[in-house]
Amino acid sequence: MAHAAQVGLQDATSPIMEELITFHDHALMIIFLICFLVLYALFLTLTTKLTNTNISDAQEMETVWTILPAIILVLIALPSLRILYMTDEVNDPSLTIKSIGHQWYWTYEYTDYGGLIFSSYMLPPLFLEPGDLRLLDVDNRVVLPIEAPIRMMITSQDVLHSWAVPTLGLKTDAIPGRLNQTTFTATRPGVYYGQCSEICGANHSFMPIVLELIPLKIFEMGPVFTL
């Protein structure tokens, strides 16, 4: 999860997030090069007193600074579209979880386990134990296996919400009357936190998401839910 004074993104826990971090670094380097070139041109303009008449009317230069931005946009668009289509892929999920947003908590349904349904509320400060995170821990965590494709079906019962877990690269809107889906495959066990990222009312900041990811063998051994 994020920590104080963190500059970069959170460590990736899914292949999609790894791709997003790589694309972020790729786009950032292009931005750095563009900024350096523009600042260098401004520096030369402000410091030199000599003028070149060939610059005021140069077809070759105009052609270059028209084509070059188009090439840069293509270099950014192609990997971006690739990742966009990767996030929409649904390849034979091993488990389907339905998440329903409410004001202001989440309800989860394990559709493959006989309709197991439970609600997940943020823990009040008085109920926190040593090691719990304020405004992030919940009373009932979502327990999922790693190294298995998971499909999340996300909707809302009242207003717009957004189910987001940054370390997995997930952010899907929960819309009343509509069922959105997203998939992910976690690569590391652990406890990962997210929050509603759509302003949904007075207690928008108090409906966290907690995923407890465990090895697939332990998940298959039997019920691991403490409700």
Side-chain angles (χ1 to χ4, degrees), residues 94 144-148 150 213-222:
S94 301
L144 297 172
I146 64 172
E147 299 177 348
I150 308 296
L213 303 178
I214 61 176
L216 182 59
K217 291 183 179 180
I218 298 178
F219 186 86
E220 291 176 341
M221 289 174 60

Side-chain angles (χ1 to χ4, degrees), residues 57-76:
D57 186 15
Q59 296 296 329
E60 294 81 4
M61 181 174 291
E62 293 179 2
T63 303
V64 169
W65 71 43
T66 301
I67 296 178
L68 187 59
I71 295 175
I72 293 174
L73 290 176
V74 171
L75 292 177
I76 295 176

